[in-house]
Amino acid sequence: MYNEQDTAVTVAFSAAGDRREVTLEALQSEAVDFLEFFGEPAFAGKSFCEIIGAGNGETRFKRLLKKAGHPNNAKGFFNELLEQLTQPADERNGTVAVGGIPLPVMMLVSFLEKILPDNRFIRIRDVAHLERLTNIRIPDEERDDMQTVIHRYPVRLSMHVIRQMRVSRNVAYQYMPFKEELDPVGLTNTWIGQFHQGLLEQMYRNRIIFVLNMSCPVYCRFCFRKHKDCRNQAAPTMEDVRNAVTHIRNSPAVKEMVLTGGDPFMNRRTLACAIDELMTVPHIRTLRLATRSIAFYPQIFYAGNGNWLKYLKQKNQEIQSRQKRMEVATHFIHPDEISPYSLDLISDLARNGVAVYVQTPFLKDCNDEGPELTRLFRLLRGAGAEMHYIYIPCSPIQGNSVYWTPISKGHRAGVYLRGHLSDRAIPRICTATPIGKMDWHTSGWAIAPDDDENFIWIRSPYTPEYFKTFAPGSSEHDVVRVNGEGTLDVRYMAKIGDPGLFMGHRPARPVNTAYTNGEILAGLQHRSLEDQRETDSIVPTGTDAVRRVHLTRVEIDPEAGDAALDYIRSDDRITDVVIAGRRDMVDCLRPAGELIRALGDIGHVNAVRLRSLKFNYAPDAYTLGAVDRLAGLNRLTVVNPLRLEIETRFLHSGEFRPEHDILTSVLRQRGITVYASTVLVPEVNNSPEAIQRLAFACRNVGIEFHHVYVAGHPLQEKQNREQPVDILDVIDIGTRVRRDGSGREIPMYILRTSLGEADFGLTTRFYADNGAVLAKLLPYDLPYFQSMKPDFQWPDGITAGDDGCPLVPVPGLGNETGFMVR
């Protein structure tokens, strides 16, 4: 591998025998740099970090050389490493190990950046070209089929992705063509909608997809646009874009635009034209720019001295001056896709007030177990991203069957995430049906199998009337039917996996109408400000200042001392700290600030949340000085971030004032997210109309609508015991918010219990108990709690089912019809 002078390494790549040279000094410098800055568990893994230990990059590299069997011998280390990197990737079974030590994917990619420094994207023409670039061999018996696939479905790869594919099977799995793409099973179109002006696709009354570019720098093999003719069409002209905007000007019901493609960032002229034109449309509130390039071609944003980033920041300021919002939507599938570039892009945008939200297709044998999603979302959250959706299953497009999972697999992943991930990092689990998205067990569920075993029937939140104004034929298609409650059932191509998920039809009943008792609302508002410590600890922590409310989350008092910090240091599973006290956080920023600075030295804590009900009830308390202090505590960085968020609560849409819009914008421009929850209380807000208005109000001012507490919150204790919120009330609310709101308005519907939080219906099962409702908490069992407190036993009144999951009473939750109750 090394030449006689030991200064250069000659590497042979692929069967074609291409050779490249890289100096030993360059590789050694890259190793030291990576270990200095990215030798952290989040990037390199806990076991690898235990091997390299503490210290600077040089110290860690020397330690790695010794542990790998090459003490003080960088030549031997890289000789062994490069010998493996030159082997076909499929022969390495997805890992590269030196001296028996598996090296982190991100570290391997950093070496390949020295060996393969190009940043182009490349159209693959034939099998030999594909093998040469990816270092993945195609078996002889598959070569003809693979060539047919390449002709039928274009293969385009960025050098960034090629480097990742060489060392990660999970990345290669997403972009490498495969012979099964010729399988005719599946659909060529997965949705029913309305097209306008050739560039506009409308599935929802209040938002439209604007297709601004027809190609991508990389083609995902699972893409739902796999069969779209537009992939072979030229990009639209400026006139095309302006004509499309004219249609939007004449569509006042549309509030949000999703600017997409292909990838819209591959055509500066059309994207800039669309943004400039849409900014002037009065009824458009939000521009959502959809790109996957943050993951698979981040160099596009850094090219030309960062011109795209500068442009986005500048346009965001202009858009905000018009009381509108810009967001960037992106996709990440697996943690091996994470690069320092992608995290830097997310943090840079978030610090400058551009929200970045992440969507994740659920792929068989890639990200369908839970642990990989936990690591992925933890990294993205720390950088400043908002987690939006997990799509279960992957779109049932023809040629994509290798990626399909049963619906039950996605549900199990959701259970895992609820138990092992911060609540603020958990996406909504949804399915994109042919007539629109639904959220499992609130706005939709599996009804029954179809006569064809490859299909099931899903209840959707949509009605025939919903589509009349913009897509009147949608409710007449042969894949939909009207059910007894008046919503549309959808015939969907998927396996259920678990027949227990079939819930049948819900009974029809009158929907609660909006009614607000001002006296009850005023009482709740007063109680909210009395004491903002609202959760007991699920396990003893040894100090009253720390309340353990989840495996990953603690709540602490602002005056908490060394004992609290020691408790947090002792458990590296704790990622989120909520600071909540009797007084509002804005009134005790000095002690809270000292606490946050101390938490910043605890590497596994990546988010601090300040609970502040005064954000709602006394926004004037957020003075310029207070905001400046908060901004100084927010640390959105690639390595060891400490993301700062404000947690507040709104009970009613009537509580929103113009000051909330201004304050949220000011904080967002400093990279600080504000999120809000609410509690369902009869005679205050337990109607679909009330929560839909609340969701819209949050969205309108830029607040993330986080949780709707269905039952179990202290504020619900008195009123809800006397007037329980019924299970069907929650379904009606979830249905209305999904149907009439933006996808970015949808909250999680949560049960709060003495053993922690769980999702209504999705990570719980309901049982009847002498007129009361019991909830089985699927994310938890006794070993789960004993991992936090070894001598933990079930509290009085708690029993466990045969599967070990606890059954807890849910006071305040009603069961009038027996639907969803076992």
Side-chain angles (χ1 to χ4, degrees), residues 83-100:
E83 179 68 34
Q84 292 189 56
L85 288 179
T86 58
Q87 295 173 2
D90 49 305
E91 291 185 359
R92 290 189 263 104
N93 197 27
T95 61
V96 175
V98 178

PDB file of all heavy atoms in Angstrom, residues 83-100:
ATOM      1  N   GLU A  83      -6.569  -1.707   3.021  1.00  0.00           N
ATOM      2  CA  GLU A  83      -6.740  -3.038   2.447  1.00  0.00           C
ATOM      3  C   GLU A  83      -8.214  -3.437   2.464  1.00  0.00           C
ATOM      4  O   GLU A  83      -8.748  -3.998   1.505  1.00  0.00           O
ATOM      5  CB  GLU A  83      -5.899  -4.057   3.218  1.00  0.00           C
ATOM      6  CG  GLU A  83      -6.019  -5.474   2.715  1.00  0.00           C
ATOM      7  CD  GLU A  83      -5.400  -5.654   1.338  1.00  0.00           C
ATOM      8  OE1 GLU A  83      -4.389  -4.982   1.048  1.00  0.00           O
ATOM      9  OE2 GLU A  83      -5.932  -6.457   0.554  1.00  0.00           O
ATOM     10  N   GLN A  84      -8.897  -3.102   3.561  1.00  0.00           N
ATOM     11  CA  GLN A  84     -10.322  -3.423   3.659  1.00  0.00           C
ATOM     12  C   GLN A  84     -11.163  -2.504   2.775  1.00  0.00           C
ATOM     13  O   GLN A  84     -12.133  -2.948   2.146  1.00  0.00           O
ATOM     14  CB  GLN A  84     -10.781  -3.316   5.108  1.00  0.00           C
ATOM     15  CG  GLN A  84     -10.198  -4.382   6.015  1.00  0.00           C
ATOM     16  CD  GLN A  84     -10.853  -4.358   7.374  1.00  0.00           C
ATOM     17  OE1 GLN A  84     -12.051  -4.472   7.505  1.00  0.00           O
ATOM     18  NE2 GLN A  84     -10.022  -4.192   8.397  1.00  0.00           N
ATOM     19  N   LEU A  85     -10.813  -1.228   2.731  1.00  0.00           N
ATOM     20  CA  LEU A  85     -11.599  -0.302   1.917  1.00  0.00           C
ATOM     21  C   LEU A  85     -11.527  -0.618   0.429  1.00  0.00           C
ATOM     22  O   LEU A  85     -12.426  -0.255  -0.327  1.00  0.00           O
ATOM     23  CB  LEU A  85     -11.146   1.137   2.161  1.00  0.00           C
ATOM     24  CG  LEU A  85     -11.521   1.750   3.508  1.00  0.00           C
ATOM     25  CD1 LEU A  85     -10.973   3.166   3.614  1.00  0.00           C
ATOM     26  CD2 LEU A  85     -13.031   1.759   3.707  1.00  0.00           C
ATOM     27  N   THR A  86     -10.452  -1.273  -0.003  1.00  0.00           N
ATOM     28  CA  THR A  86     -10.349  -1.641  -1.413  1.00  0.00           C
ATOM     29  C   THR A  86     -11.108  -2.914  -1.738  1.00  0.00           C
ATOM     30  O   THR A  86     -11.389  -3.187  -2.905  1.00  0.00           O
ATOM     31  CB  THR A  86      -8.882  -1.824  -1.822  1.00  0.00           C
ATOM     32  OG1 THR A  86      -8.273  -2.829  -1.003  1.00  0.00           O
ATOM     33  CG2 THR A  86      -8.120  -0.521  -1.693  1.00  0.00           C
ATOM     34  N   GLN A  87     -11.452  -3.697  -0.728  1.00  0.00           N
ATOM     35  CA  GLN A  87     -12.261  -4.889  -0.966  1.00  0.00           C
ATOM     36  C   GLN A  87     -13.676  -4.472  -1.367  1.00  0.00           C
ATOM     37  O   GLN A  87     -14.184  -3.443  -0.914  1.00  0.00           O
ATOM     38  CB  GLN A  87     -12.328  -5.749   0.295  1.00  0.00           C
ATOM     39  CG  GLN A  87     -11.001  -6.345   0.728  1.00  0.00           C
ATOM     40  CD  GLN A  87     -11.117  -7.039   2.072  1.00  0.00           C
ATOM     41  OE1 GLN A  87     -12.200  -7.096   2.659  1.00  0.00           O
ATOM     42  NE2 GLN A  87     -10.006  -7.550   2.568  1.00  0.00           N
ATOM     43  N   PRO A  88     -14.352  -5.266  -2.197  1.00  0.00           N
ATOM     44  CA  PRO A  88     -15.754  -4.949  -2.514  1.00  0.00           C
ATOM     45  C   PRO A  88     -16.568  -4.813  -1.238  1.00  0.00           C
ATOM     46  O   PRO A  88     -16.427  -5.613  -0.297  1.00  0.00           O
ATOM     47  CB  PRO A  88     -16.196  -6.154  -3.353  1.00  0.00           C
ATOM     48  CG  PRO A  88     -14.936  -6.654  -3.980  1.00  0.00           C
ATOM     49  CD  PRO A  88     -13.861  -6.429  -2.950  1.00  0.00           C
ATOM     50  N   ALA A  89     -17.407  -3.786  -1.190  1.00  0.00           N
ATOM     51  CA  ALA A  89     -18.144  -3.476   0.036  1.00  0.00           C
ATOM     52  C   ALA A  89     -19.031  -4.640   0.471  1.00  0.00           C
ATOM     53  O   ALA A  89     -19.220  -4.873   1.669  1.00  0.00           O
ATOM     54  CB  ALA A  89     -18.977  -2.218  -0.160  1.00  0.00           C
ATOM     55  N   ASP A  90     -19.579  -5.382  -0.497  1.00  0.00           N
ATOM     56  CA  ASP A  90     -20.463  -6.480  -0.132  1.00  0.00           C
ATOM     57  C   ASP A  90     -19.717  -7.632   0.526  1.00  0.00           C
ATOM     58  O   ASP A  90     -20.314  -8.443   1.229  1.00  0.00           O
ATOM     59  CB  ASP A  90     -21.220  -6.983  -1.368  1.00  0.00           C
ATOM     60  CG  ASP A  90     -20.298  -7.227  -2.550  1.00  0.00           C
ATOM     61  OD1 ASP A  90     -19.577  -6.295  -2.925  1.00  0.00           O
ATOM     62  OD2 ASP A  90     -20.305  -8.357  -3.080  1.00  0.00           O
ATOM     63  N   GLU A  91     -18.395  -7.717   0.342  1.00  0.00           N
ATOM     64  CA  GLU A  91     -17.611  -8.766   0.991  1.00  0.00           C
ATOM     65  C   GLU A  91     -17.280  -8.418   2.435  1.00  0.00           C
ATOM     66  O   GLU A  91     -16.922  -9.301   3.219  1.00  0.00           O
ATOM     67  CB  GLU A  91     -16.315  -8.997   0.215  1.00  0.00           C
ATOM     68  CG  GLU A  91     -16.514  -9.635  -1.147  1.00  0.00           C
ATOM     69  CD  GLU A  91     -15.198  -9.950  -1.825  1.00  0.00           C
ATOM     70  OE1 GLU A  91     -14.131  -9.648  -1.231  1.00  0.00           O
ATOM     71  OE2 GLU A  91     -15.224 -10.499  -2.947  1.00  0.00           O
ATOM     72  N   ARG A  92     -17.380  -7.150   2.787  1.00  0.00           N
ATOM     73  CA  ARG A  92     -17.041  -6.723   4.157  1.00  0.00           C
ATOM     74  C   ARG A  92     -18.225  -6.814   5.103  1.00  0.00           C
ATOM     75  O   ARG A  92     -18.103  -6.496   6.280  1.00  0.00           O
ATOM     76  CB  ARG A  92     -16.530  -5.284   4.138  1.00  0.00           C
ATOM     77  CG  ARG A  92     -15.181  -5.129   3.507  1.00  0.00           C
ATOM     78  CD  ARG A  92     -14.646  -3.725   3.734  1.00  0.00           C
ATOM     79  NE  ARG A  92     -14.886  -2.848   2.604  1.00  0.00           N
ATOM     80  CZ  ARG A  92     -15.810  -1.911   2.561  1.00  0.00           C
ATOM     81  NH1 ARG A  92     -16.623  -1.741   3.589  1.00  0.00           N
ATOM     82  NH2 ARG A  92     -15.951  -1.143   1.506  1.00  0.00           N
ATOM     83  N   ASN A  93     -19.380  -7.168   4.587  1.00  0.00           N
ATOM     84  CA  ASN A  93     -20.581  -7.303   5.411  1.00  0.00           C
ATOM     85  C   ASN A  93     -20.905  -6.019   6.163  1.00  0.00           C
ATOM     86  O   ASN A  93     -21.382  -6.034   7.304  1.00  0.00           O
ATOM     87  CB  ASN A  93     -20.429  -8.462   6.403  1.00  0.00           C
ATOM     88  CG  ASN A  93     -21.768  -8.903   6.976  1.00  0.00           C
ATOM     89  OD1 ASN A  93     -22.801  -8.746   6.336  1.00  0.00           O
ATOM     90  ND2 ASN A  93     -21.731  -9.443   8.185  1.00  0.00           N
ATOM     91  N   GLY A  94     -20.567  -4.888   5.550  1.00  0.00           N
ATOM     92  CA  GLY A  94     -20.999  -3.612   6.096  1.00  0.00           C
ATOM     93  C   GLY A  94     -20.138  -3.025   7.181  1.00  0.00           C
ATOM     94  O   GLY A  94     -20.441  -1.967   7.713  1.00  0.00           O
ATOM     95  N   THR A  95     -19.030  -3.675   7.556  1.00  0.00           N
ATOM     96  CA  THR A  95     -18.191  -3.134   8.617  1.00  0.00           C
ATOM     97  C   THR A  95     -16.741  -3.057   8.147  1.00  0.00           C
ATOM     98  O   THR A  95     -16.302  -3.834   7.304  1.00  0.00           O
ATOM     99  CB  THR A  95     -18.256  -3.989   9.890  1.00  0.00           C
ATOM    100  OG1 THR A  95     -17.791  -5.314   9.598  1.00  0.00           O
ATOM    101  CG2 THR A  95     -19.675  -4.055  10.425  1.00  0.00           C
ATOM    102  N   VAL A  96     -16.009  -2.121   8.719  1.00  0.00           N
ATOM    103  CA  VAL A  96     -14.569  -2.010   8.517  1.00  0.00           C
ATOM    104  C   VAL A  96     -13.945  -1.973   9.900  1.00  0.00           C
ATOM    105  O   VAL A  96     -14.252  -1.092  10.705  1.00  0.00           O
ATOM    106  CB  VAL A  96     -14.197  -0.742   7.724  1.00  0.00           C
ATOM    107  CG1 VAL A  96     -12.690  -0.599   7.627  1.00  0.00           C
ATOM    108  CG2 VAL A  96     -14.828  -0.775   6.333  1.00  0.00           C
ATOM    109  N   ALA A  97     -13.088  -2.935  10.192  1.00  0.00           N
ATOM    110  CA  ALA A  97     -12.472  -3.041  11.515  1.00  0.00           C
ATOM    111  C   ALA A  97     -10.964  -3.157  11.366  1.00  0.00           C
ATOM    112  O   ALA A  97     -10.469  -3.868  10.488  1.00  0.00           O
ATOM    113  CB  ALA A  97     -13.024  -4.242  12.276  1.00  0.00           C
ATOM    114  N   VAL A  98     -10.251  -2.460  12.202  1.00  0.00           N
ATOM    115  CA  VAL A  98      -8.791  -2.542  12.238  1.00  0.00           C
ATOM    116  C   VAL A  98      -8.402  -3.134  13.587  1.00  0.00           C
ATOM    117  O   VAL A  98      -8.801  -2.625  14.632  1.00  0.00           O
ATOM    118  CB  VAL A  98      -8.138  -1.164  12.051  1.00  0.00           C
ATOM    119  CG1 VAL A  98      -6.622  -1.285  12.131  1.00  0.00           C
ATOM    120  CG2 VAL A  98      -8.552  -0.553  10.728  1.00  0.00           C
ATOM    121  N   GLY A  99      -7.675  -4.221  13.549  1.00  0.00           N
ATOM    122  CA  GLY A  99      -7.308  -4.886  14.798  1.00  0.00           C
ATOM    123  C   GLY A  99      -8.518  -5.338  15.589  1.00  0.00           C
ATOM    124  O   GLY A  99      -8.478  -5.383  16.817  1.00  0.00           O
ATOM    125  N   GLY A 100      -9.584  -5.660  14.864  1.00  0.00           N
ATOM    126  CA  GLY A 100     -10.807  -6.100  15.527  1.00  0.00           C
ATOM    127  C   GLY A 100     -11.666  -4.970  16.060  1.00  0.00           C
ATOM    128  O   GLY A 100     -12.718  -5.231  16.659  1.00  0.00           O
TER     129      GLY A 100
END
